[in-house]
Each structure stands twice: as structure tokens, then as C-alpha cells.
């Protein structure tokens, strides 16, 4: 797959996979600064990154914090990392548990299996261009990213939703950059 | 009144229970000072560095109960360097020399070494109560010394301390002759205790009313303990992991049925939600329930449990209870006075768990609420105004919106009006913690309306020095002010320097106060210790020759009769 970094290039087109009307503010707990403010947009990114390093915030006693050390991991393992998967042109979405896959290869195979009926349809319509599609995902910040760039562990902890983009649109992305 | 014999005056003073009242009468005249000091039984020292231990012992030779607090509150959140101070040893040494009749020692946020515990145990074999809250520096060896030597111990209460576990069988050190225990809390210990020794100890203490176990105590052991002590009023369970199909589980349910006096329930470490039913029989009598250490209990299960608890006065839960769960609390717990909702997802990657809706629901249903600690993802002015109207009796109101500086998400406004409504409506408010986006206006409201406010915590708030000045000039009863990451500088610090002598302490970190400002304060007010805390890694320049314009990272100011500390570590400069 070509190196298409979704984030900065697509920022202007505001490609968001959330439902219309939802903002990123409540979901990812960023400062809800007025939109259209370029500087604050950058600050949003910086504060998001720096947030994890604010000492002593939130104000919870270390004793309490230390009481649930591996809790986050346990909860995810128990509940499963279910994310929605949409495929352009498919009439309905699917849901997969990212936790059951060991890595990107297994993920692609799993998605292939799940959507092969649709991709056959698509590829026929495309005039037999084959199963050319790009797997993208929406991360915690709401940006559209190409699957495969970051280490697997980082991917599953930041992936909120998957989207399988049609070959033509994916190629369009590639050509822009 | 000075014509009454001392015994009569003393008898009258016996009716004065609070420390403040007794402090007040002691200032009336020399005669009253003498009578009061010789008859004082309980002494409270809010800041261990405000007075020398020896002076306290000399003034109150008849002291039976000593309460001392050490580190500033923000030490709870790792803002105070580890070895800043707050040592218990000088107090225990002074008491050993000056107050041989001491029966109770209660310490909070202090560094307590095993050496001090050993000294305590040997000096006071008749010690009746030891309570350590948020302390550190000791191990199970120190506890073993206490268990061994304090033969008439009634209360050993260890709350949220960091204790080194050397696996020593400290609990077995309680001699067979120890039968006086009324309350035992070792929930903060990480290691195992000898189950047999614990059960035997419980069996031979018929007055035992409170028992809080640690995570390492099994369900089987808990069942045996409850069988021996069905008279318990307070219970902290150990690990409640048990197969709910098993015999052990059935026995546990039967045992809970027998605990008719149980009013206070906590623990629930590692509990399988399916086992919660075992607790239902005691729920209708509970006045205190703490589920805040049980992340494995989902909201729905918490709700099922709470539906049985209609006499609840104090509830601590995790935010996975959700707004809907809080609505159930509102409709069930009509006697509720204190609610604490802690975040279960500290690193903020999950979905919002509680919002302003949950708080509004509880305020509508529980008009007796007077104490709140609420961690949430968002809050609105409208909600706070409603809460203020519904619950005018708040004494403690602590709101923590997890995202610092977040405004009202609906109006995008700061939360000044919301908090303003709280301070206006709740005339008895003594403690307030602010969060969210706040301008100087909220401090104008606080200064004007919060007449009874004693403790104020500020983080990421305000626009200018005016904010802090409103508070210092307005809140007549302010005792503790702690501020972090707010734009208050030297002008605010120096505006009302006399105020600090009426307060216990002021903490400011990551604000705009400079070294020069701190020096000026120290120069004007010799009876204050102005401590500048430099942790030094980034600031080599600080060590060389810091300029007065240099901003101070952390500053702690407190009134004191003891002068500058002589044991302060290198990174603490007392100006």
C-alpha cells in the first residue's frame, strides 16, 4: 500500500466517520474550543498529547490509582475490542473483535473472509479490477488513517472504527499525495 | 467567672467538645488558659510544622489523644516531592517524654517509620488506638511491634497507607491475652495474613465492631470470621472470588443472613458480579456502602444491589454506574447525605460514564445531600444551578471535570455561573473544589458569598491576579487554599499578607509567582514559613543564582510558631 497519511491532508476536507451532529469534544474529552480556529486546532493536538503527562491530574490518590493496575487491560480483554467495519457499497456494516487477531495479516484475512461476497460484487462492477481496496480506520482523534502504519498494539488501542474504501477512492487518495 | 474555683471552670469546659471552642476559651485570661490546658484531653495539630512537638507536650501534659497532620493535601496527587517531610518520629519522641498518659494517636499524611512504631509501642504499652491515614514509611514489622506490645489495643485503623509487606506474621503477634479489639482495619496491606491467627483473634474479641480485611483474605476465611463475629457493624470484605455454584458460596450467604447489625460495607475486591446476591440480605440495613474498589461490577449489577439499600446515607461508587444508575440511587436512597463517584477509566479513552445528568438526578431525589465528590466528563451551568436549588445543605462540594478547563459543552461558556449558584445557595459550604473552564468571575462570587468556606481547591482556573485577590479578601473563614496551574502571580500573593496568619496554609504550584514575590512575602511576615520547593532536574540555573524574576514551581506557605524547619531537605528553601 502506498504511503498515504490520512491525518493532515484530509483535515481540511473534514472527513469524519462519526454521525452528523456529533462533535469530537465529548468523545475524546478535548478542550471544546470554537471551531474554525486554526491555532486552537493545533493546540488541541498538543494538549491531547500532553494530557497524559499532566502530573497529579485527575486528582485521585495514588493509592486508589494503584488499586487497579492492570484493570484497563483486563476490561478490554473481557469485553472485547469490538469495532464497526463498513465497506463502501455494502448494504450493512459488520462488527469485529480486534482482540482476536494477532496482527495485521490476520486482520486482513479476517476482513477478506467477512466481506468477500461484497468485494466480488464490487470487483465485477469495477470491470474486473480485482479486490483493490484500502483498509482505513478512524482513530481516537477522529482522523482517517491507513491501516498498517503503526505497531499492532498501538493500532488496536487507538482504532475506533474500520472502513474499507473502494479501490477508486483509495487510489484517488494516493494520487493526491 | 474568675471567682469560680478551678474545678467548676474545668467542669464547664468539659462541655466544650470542639478544639476550636477550647482554643478560644484558653485565650480569655491566664486563669482560664491554665485550667483549660491542664484539662485538655484531645489535641489537634493541623500542620505538624506549625508548632514544635515539645511545646505541645509541655502545654498539655494531660493529653490522651493526639491528632497530627503532615503533608499538604496536594501530596495525595504526587505534587509534593517524596521526601519533603512530615515525620512522625519527633512527635512520638516528644510524647514519650512529655505525655506518658497518651492513649490515642491519629496521623494523616505523615512519614511513619518502623522505628517510630516500635518506639510508640514500647513507650505506650497501654495505647488504645492507632489510626494512620495516607501515611507511608512503615512495614509489617512496625505493625508487629504494635501488636506485640500494646496489650489493651482497641483500635488499629490503617486507611490507604503505603505499607511495605515483609510477610511477617504481624497479626500472629497479638498475644492471646489481647481481647479488647473493637476495630481493626488492614485493608491497605498487600500481603497475606495468617488466616488461622486472624480467625482466632476475632473469636477472642467479643467487642469487635469493625473489621476491614485486605484483598488477600479468601471467601472461606471471611465466612469463618463472620460466623465468629455476627455482631459486626462495619465490614470490609476480602476477595469475593468464589464460584457461585459452590458450597463455599452458599455458606457465605447463610452467614451474611446472620449479620443483623451490619451497617457499613466495603471491600468487594475482585468480586464476581454473580456473587453480589449474597449481600442482598444485609442491604436494607446499610447506611454506608463503598463499591469504589470494585471495577469488575458493571453498572447494572451495582444498580441491582443499590435498589435494596434504601437506608443508605453514604455511597461511594465508580462512574460505571452511569447516569441511569444514579437515577436509581436518587429514587432509592432518600436518606443519602454523602455521594462519591470515582472515575473507573482514568486515562480517558473510554466512553463518558457520568455527566451532569446523573448529578442533577441525585440532587432531585436526595435533598439531604451535604457532601459530594464527583468525577465526570462534563458539567453545565444549568445543571449546577439546579443542583444548588435542590440541595442547599452542601457542606462539601468537590467537582472534578476530567478534562482541565472544559467549558459548558452546551453553551460553551465558563462554569462561573454554575459554581456561583452553589456558593450562593449553600450557605454552610465549608469545602469547595473547582474544575472546568473558569474566569475571575467565579472567584468574585466565592469571595462574596462563601462566608463559611474553609478550604478551596483551584486548578486550571482564573484569568488574572484579581481572581485570587477576591478570595483572599472575601472568604473570612478560609483556612486552606491550594492552587495549581492558574495565572496568579506576585500581585495576588502580596495583596493581603496578613490573611495568611489567619489561615493554616497556602499552596501554589505552576502559577505565576516569582522568587522575588516569595522573598517579599517572607520578609513582611516573619511568622510564616515560605517554602519554595525545587525539584531541580530541569533547573540548573535555580541552583546557581536564581534571579528574583524566576517563576517558582511550587510554593507552600504556612503560619508557624516553630520557625524554619531544621530538617528540611535540600530542595526546600525556607525564605
Amino acid at each position: 500500500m502506498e504511503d498515504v497519511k490520512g491525518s493532515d491532508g484530509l483535515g481540511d476536507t473534514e472527513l469524519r466517520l462519526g454521525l452528523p451532529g456529533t462533535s469530537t469534544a465529548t468523545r475524546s474529552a478535548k478542550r471544546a474550543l470554537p471551531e474554525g480556529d486554526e491555532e486552537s486546532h493545533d493546540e488541541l493536538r498538543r494538549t491531547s498529547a500532553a494530557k497524559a503527562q499532566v502530573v497529579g491530574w485527575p486528582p485521585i490518590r495514588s493509592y486508589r490509582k494503584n488499586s487497579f493496575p492492570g484493570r484497563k487491560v483486563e476490561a478490554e480483554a473481557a469485553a472485547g475490542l469490538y469495532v464497526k467495519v463498513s465497506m463502501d457499497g455494502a448494504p450493512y456494516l459488520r462488527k469485529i473483535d480486534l482482540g482476536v487477531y494477532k496482527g495485521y495479516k490476520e486482520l486482513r484475512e479476517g476482513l477478506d473472509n467477512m466481506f468477500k461476497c461484497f468485494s466480488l460484487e464490487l470487483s465485477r462492477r469495477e470491470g474486473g479490477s480485482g479486490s483493490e481496496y484500502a483498509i482505513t480506520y478512524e482513530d481516537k482523534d477522529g482522523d482517517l488513517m491507513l491501516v498498517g502504519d503503526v505497531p499492532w498494539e498501538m493500532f488496536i488501542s487507538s482504532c475506533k472504527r474500520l472502513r474499507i474504501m473502494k479501490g477508486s477512492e483509495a487510489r484517488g487518495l494516493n494520487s493526491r499525495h | 467567672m474568675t471567682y469560680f474555683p478551678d474545678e467548676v471552670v474545668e467542669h464547664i469546659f468539659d462541655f466544650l467538645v470542639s478544639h476550636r471552642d477550647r482554643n478560644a476559651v484558653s485565650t480569655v485570661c491566664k486563669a482560664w488558659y491554665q485550667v483549660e490546658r491542664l484539662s485538655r484531653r484531645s489535641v489537634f495539630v493541623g500542620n505538624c510544622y506549625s508548632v514544635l512537638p515539645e511545646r505541645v507536650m509541655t502545654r498539655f501534659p494531660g493529653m490522651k489523644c493526639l491528632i497530627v497532620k503532615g503533608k499538604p493535601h496536594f501530596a495525595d496527587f504526587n505534587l509534593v516531592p517524596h521526601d519533603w517531610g512530615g515525620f512522625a518520629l519527633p512527635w512520638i519522641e516528644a510524647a514519650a517524654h512529655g505525655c506518658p498518659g497518651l492513649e490515642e494517636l491519629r496521623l494523616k499524611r505523615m512519614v511513619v517509620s518502623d522505628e517510630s512504631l516500635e518506639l510508640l509501642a514500647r513507650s505506650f504499652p497501654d495505647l488504645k488506638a492507632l489510626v494512620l491515614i495516607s501515611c507511608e514509611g512503615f512495614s509489617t514489622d512496625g505493625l508487629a511491634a504494635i501488636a506485640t506490645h500494646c496489650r489493651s489495643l482497641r483500635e488499629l485503623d490503617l486507611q490507604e497507607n503505603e505499607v511495605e509487606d515483609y510477610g511477617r506474621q504481624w497479626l500472629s503477634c497479638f498475644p492471646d491475652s489481647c481481647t479488647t479489639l473493637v476495630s481493626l482495619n488492614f485493608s491497605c496491606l498487600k500481603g497475606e495474613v495468617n488466616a488461622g491467627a486472624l480467625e482466632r483473634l476475632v473469636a477472642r474479641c467479643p467487642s469487635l465492631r469493625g473489621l476491614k480485611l485486605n484483598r488477600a483474605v479468601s471467601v472461606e476465611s471471611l465466612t469463618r470470621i463472620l460466623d465468629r463475629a455476627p455482631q459486626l457493624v462495619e465490614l470490609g470484605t476480602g476477595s469475593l472470588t468464589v464460584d457461585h455454584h459452590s458450597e463455599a458460596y452458599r455458606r457465605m450467604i447463610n452467614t451474611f443472613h446472620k449479620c443483623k447489625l451490619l451497617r457499613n460495607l466495603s471491600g468487594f475486591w475482585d468480586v464476581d458480579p454473580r456473587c453480589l446476591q449474597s449481600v442482598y440480605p444485609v442491604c436494607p440495613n446499610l447506611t454506608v456502602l463503598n463499591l469504589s474498589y470494585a471495577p469488575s461490577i458493571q453498572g447494572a449489577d451495582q444498580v441491582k444491589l443499590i435498589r435494596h439499600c434504601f437506608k443508605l446515607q453514604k455511597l461511594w461508587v465508580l462512574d460505571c454506574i452511569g447516569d441511569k444508575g444514579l437515577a436509581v440511587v436518587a429514587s432509592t436512597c432518600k436518606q443519602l447525605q454523602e455521594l462519591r463517584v470515582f472515575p473507573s477509566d482514568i486515562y480517558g479513552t473510554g466512553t463518558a460514564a457520568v455527566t451532569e445528568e446523573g448529578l442533577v438526578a441525585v440532587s432531585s431525589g436526595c435533598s439531604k445531600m451535604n457532601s459530594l465528590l464527583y468525577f465526570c466528563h462534563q458539567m453545565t451551568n444549568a445543571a449546577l444551578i439546579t443542583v444548588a436549588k435542590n440541595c442547599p445543605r452542601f457542606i462539601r462540594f468537590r467537582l472534578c471535570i476530567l478534562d482541565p478547563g472544559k467549558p459548558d459543552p452546551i453553551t460553551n461558556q465558563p462554569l462561573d455561573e454554575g459554581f456561583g449558584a452553589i456558593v450562593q445557595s449553600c450557605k454552610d459550604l465549608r469545602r469547595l473544589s473547582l474544575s472546568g473552564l473558569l474566569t475571575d468571575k467565579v472567584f468574585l462570587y466565592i469571595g462574596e458569598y462563601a462566608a463559611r468556606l474553609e478550604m478551596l481547591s483551584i486548578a486550571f482556573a482564573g484569568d488574572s491576579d484579581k481572581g485570587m485577590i477576591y478570595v483572599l479578601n472575601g472568604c473570612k473563614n478560609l483556612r486552606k487554599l491550594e492552587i495549581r496551574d492558574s495565572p496568579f502571580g506576585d500581585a495576588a500573593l502580596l495583596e493581603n499578607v496578613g490573611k495568611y496568619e489567619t489561615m493554616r496554609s497556602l499552596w501554589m504550584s505552576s502559577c505565576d509567582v516569582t522568587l522575588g514575590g516569595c522573598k517579599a512575602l517572607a520578609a513582611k511576615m516573619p511568622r510564616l514559613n515560605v517554602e519554595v520547593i525545587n525539584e531541580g532536574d530541569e533547573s540548573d540555573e535555580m541552583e546557581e543564582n536564581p534571579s528574583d524574576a524566576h517563576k517558582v514551581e511550587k510554593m507552600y506557605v504556612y503560619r508557624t510558631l516553630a520557625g524554619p524547619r531544621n530538617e528540611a531537605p535540600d530542595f526546600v528553601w525556607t525564605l
Side-chain angles (χ1 to χ4, degrees):
Chain A
M1 297 249 178
E2 280 90 309
D3 253 12
V4 175
K5 296 277 185 254
S7 51
D8 296 309
L10 290 170
D12 295 331
T13 60
E14 289 225 334
L15 199 73
R16 283 165 42 192
L17 299 181
L19 293 168
T22 57
S23 67
T24 53
T26 46
R27 193 162 32 97
S28 52
K30 285 199 264 267
R31 290 172 195 249
L33 295 172
E35 298 192 337
D37 187 349
E38 263 309 307
E39 263 182 346
S40 52
H41 200 56
D42 287 324
E43 207 195 295
L44 276 174
R45 290 184 204 286
R46 267 186 271 117
T47 51
S48 292
K51 200 151 70 76
Q53 291 140 41
V54 176
V55 175
W57 194 265
I60 304 169
R61 282 191 184 164
S62 342
Y63 173 81
R64 185 172 283 280
K65 270 195 207 166
N66 296 340
S67 295
F68 329 139
R71 202 236 135 200
K72 192 154 160 298
V73 174
E74 281 167 3
E76 282 171 357
L81 292 166
Y82 281 97
V83 296
K84 288 186 191 169
V85 188
S86 62
M87 182 167 184
D88 293 353
Y92 52 82
L93 280 67
R94 300 296 300 271
K95 237 185 180 171
I96 58 168
D97 180 357
L98 290 176
V100 313
Y101 301 104
K102 292 195 189 51
Y104 287 119
K105 182 157 167 291
E106 283 85 1
L107 175 66
R108 281 185 220 282
E109 282 166 5
L111 289 175
D112 234 344
N113 263 329
M114 213 181 245
F115 285 88
K116 58 176 171 235
C117 48
F118 301 125
S119 60
L120 281 174
E121 274 297 302
L122 280 173
S123 57
R124 254 187 258 125
R125 282 211 213 106
E126 296 284 302
S129 51
S131 55
E132 258 179 57
Y133 55 86
I135 310 181
T136 61
Y137 70 101
E138 180 187 335
D139 75 352
K140 272 186 291 200
D141 296 326
D143 299 316
L144 188 69
M145 314 284 290
L146 190 71
V147 164
D149 289 329
V150 300
W152 176 253
E153 300 304 306
M154 195 188 290
F155 165 70
I156 58 175
S157 70
S158 59
C159 171
K160 290 298 163 212
R161 201 182 155 119
L162 284 164
R163 178 180 165 196
I164 303 175
M165 291 175 82
K166 269 197 299 218
S168 55
E169 199 173 330
R171 279 198 300 277
L173 281 176
N174 296 349
S175 66
R176 220 182 289 161
H177 295 88
Chain B
M1 279 285 264
T2 42
Y3 302 110
F4 284 157
D6 286 352
E7 300 80 46
V8 176
V9 179
E10 185 182 319
H11 183 67
I12 296 172
F13 288 174
D14 276 348
F15 292 98
L16 298 174
V17 175
S18 87
H19 303 287
R20 277 187 233 182
D21 287 342
R22 293 204 66 124
N23 290 345
V25 300
S26 68
T27 60
V28 167
C29 62
K30 285 210 176 102
W32 280 24
Y33 177 87
Q34 282 291 83
V35 173
E36 196 286 313
R37 79 174 188 91
L38 293 171
S39 59
R40 177 91 69 117
R41 297 290 167 254
S42 174
V43 179
F44 172 76
V45 180
N47 173 3
C48 64
Y49 291 120
S50 62
V51 63
L52 288 174
E54 293 74 24
R55 188 161 169 170
V56 173
M57 309 307 156
T58 311
R59 180 171 167 189
F60 303 111
M63 183 175 72
K64 295 245 172 286
C65 171
L66 176 63
I67 307 163
V68 188
K69 290 173 144 188
K71 300 186 194 184
H73 175 237
F74 274 176
D76 282 353
F77 318 129
N78 296 333
L79 289 179
V80 177
H82 186 71
D83 33 1
W84 170 84
F87 300 105
L89 189 57
W91 289 90
I92 296 174
E93 281 172 339
H97 283 126
C99 287
L102 191 70
E103 292 176 351
E104 296 181 22
L105 182 63
R106 296 166 197 268
L107 304 176
K108 185 168 183 180
R109 268 186 227 107
M110 294 192 79
V111 178
V112 184
S113 61
D114 282 343
E115 182 198 348
S116 0
L117 289 177
E118 274 152 35
L119 178 62
L120 181 68
R122 285 181 206 280
S123 311
F124 302 98
D126 291 324
L127 191 73
K128 295 206 169 66
L130 176 62
V131 178
L132 301 176
I133 305 174
S134 296
C135 295
E136 55 174 348
F138 61 103
S139 75
T140 44
D141 285 353
L143 297 177
I146 298 286
T148 307
H149 298 286
C150 301
R151 9 159 233 249
S152 15
L153 199 64
R154 288 201 206 133
E155 186 181 350
L156 178 60
D157 189 358
L158 307 171
Q159 294 180 32
E160 303 195 345
N161 303 291
E162 298 287 345
V163 186
E164 279 300 316
D165 206 303
Y166 293 144
R168 177 142 169 208
Q169 304 290 354
W170 65 276
L171 229 146
S172 316
C173 294
F174 280 107
D176 289 341
S177 54
C178 174
T179 58
T180 46
L181 274 182
V182 173
S183 171
L184 175 63
N185 173 4
F186 60 92
S187 54
C188 62
L189 295 190
K190 300 177 195 99
E192 290 193 4
V193 292
N194 184 322
L198 175 59
E199 290 154 33
R200 285 190 298 277
L201 179 63
V202 167
R204 65 177 183 271
C205 294
S207 312
L208 194 67
R209 293 281 168 273
L211 180 63
K212 296 193 179 174
L213 308 170
N214 74 349
R215 209 165 182 166
V217 176
S218 69
V219 162
E220 289 80 7
S221 188
L222 170 66
T223 307
R224 286 193 293 268
I225 287 169
L226 289 179
D227 276 336
R228 312 270 211 159
Q231 79 281 8
L232 282 181
V233 174
E234 282 191 18
L235 174 67
T237 70
S239 244
L240 280 186
T241 41
V242 62
D243 182 343
H244 66 291
H245 293 305
S246 67
E247 183 56 36
Y249 178 65
R250 266 190 293 278
R251 270 199 295 269
M252 187 173 76
I253 298 187
N254 286 338
T255 305
F256 268 117
H257 268 286
K258 289 191 232 147
C259 297
K260 306 273 183 225
L261 297 178
L262 210 50
R263 298 285 174 272
N264 179 328
L265 196 53
S266 60
F268 295 98
W269 308 102
D270 310 314
V271 60
D272 181 336
R274 288 167 297 189
C275 296
L276 283 180
Q277 291 180 34
S278 60
V279 169
Y280 289 179
V282 300
C283 288
N285 289 325
L286 289 181
T287 55
V288 177
L289 179 62
N290 183 353
L291 296 172
S292 66
Y293 286 103
S296 56
I297 309 180
Q298 296 296 313
D301 293 313
Q302 286 191 51
V303 164
K304 269 192 249 165
L305 185 67
I306 289 170
R307 277 193 205 279
H308 297 259
C309 305
F310 46 87
K311 285 198 195 150
L312 223 47
Q313 293 172 16
K314 195 156 129 168
L315 176 63
W316 290 21
V317 287
L318 290 172
D319 64 1
C320 42
I321 193 175
D323 287 333
K324 294 209 171 70
L326 289 177
V328 174
V329 171
S331 60
T332 310
C333 310
K334 294 305 188 187
Q335 306 301 315
L336 197 67
Q337 293 176 27
E338 176 175 320
L339 174 68
R340 294 197 192 188
V341 181
F342 293 96
S344 48
D345 181 7
I346 295 166
Y347 304 102
T349 54
T351 51
V354 294
T355 67
E356 73 278 10
E357 287 180 23
L359 183 58
V360 169
V362 179
S363 75
S364 319
C366 310
S367 57
K368 294 188 184 177
M369 273 241 290
N370 60 37
S371 177
L372 180 77
L373 173 60
Y374 197 76
F375 285 85
C376 59
H377 286 252
Q378 63 181 52
M379 185 53 59
T380 64
N381 281 310
L384 284 174
I385 291 168
T386 305
V387 170
K389 225 182 337 191
N390 290 341
C391 297
R393 295 193 222 177
F394 273 118
I395 297 175
R396 272 170 245 112
F397 192 87
R398 295 195 280 162
L399 182 68
C400 179
I401 302 165
L402 290 165
D403 191 2
K406 184 167 178 172
D408 179 329
I410 298 182
T411 63
N412 233 19
Q413 293 299 301
L415 291 173
D416 302 333
E417 298 306 314
F419 279 106
I422 295 284
V423 293
Q424 242 184 300
S425 166
C426 305
K427 308 216 184 301
D428 288 328
L429 195 67
R430 293 203 303 250
R431 184 169 177 181
L432 178 64
S433 297
L434 306 169
S435 60
L437 182 64
L438 295 164
T439 70
D440 286 343
K441 200 148 188 231
V442 72
F443 300 113
L444 176 67
Y445 291 140
I446 292 173
E448 181 157 346
Y449 295 111
R452 297 252 167 89
L453 194 66
E454 296 177 4
M455 181 168 176
L456 180 61
S457 307
I458 302 171
F460 306 97
D463 304 316
S464 75
D465 289 328
K466 275 198 276 189
M468 185 170 162
I469 291 172
Y470 290 139
V471 172
L472 290 175
N473 287 344
C475 300
K476 302 207 176 325
N477 285 298
L478 195 64
R479 285 178 24 233
K480 286 187 281 186
L481 180 58
E482 47 185 26
I483 309 173
R484 63 167 293 180
D485 294 274
S486 300
F488 306 136
D490 296 339
L493 182 68
L494 298 170
E495 164 75 15
N496 185 353
V497 293
K499 177 77 174 169
Y500 305 127
E501 270 194 9
T502 68
M503 291 166 54
R504 186 187 298 172
S505 64
L506 166 70
W507 168 279
M508 292 179 78
S509 58
S510 305
C511 296
D512 292 343
V513 185
T514 69
L515 189 58
C518 294
K519 284 184 184 173
L521 176 61
K524 283 191 196 181
M525 305 292 296
R527 283 191 301 205
L528 298 179
N529 274 358
V530 179
E531 289 188 8
V532 169
I533 299 166
N534 307 295
E535 280 160 291
D537 350 85
E538 328 94 41
S539 40
D540 290 359
E541 1 161 349
M542 274 301 254
E543 317 235 340
E544 296 304 315
N545 225 331
S547 84
D548 282 358
H550 196 109
K551 277 196 198 165
V552 155
E553 189 50 39
K554 296 176 184 177
M555 179 197 77
Y556 185 46
V557 176
Y558 54 91
R559 66 181 177 191
T560 180
L561 299 170
R565 296 163 53 188
N566 54 13
E567 34 78 302
D570 291 335
F571 55 81
V572 174
W573 300 351
T574 307
L575 302 176

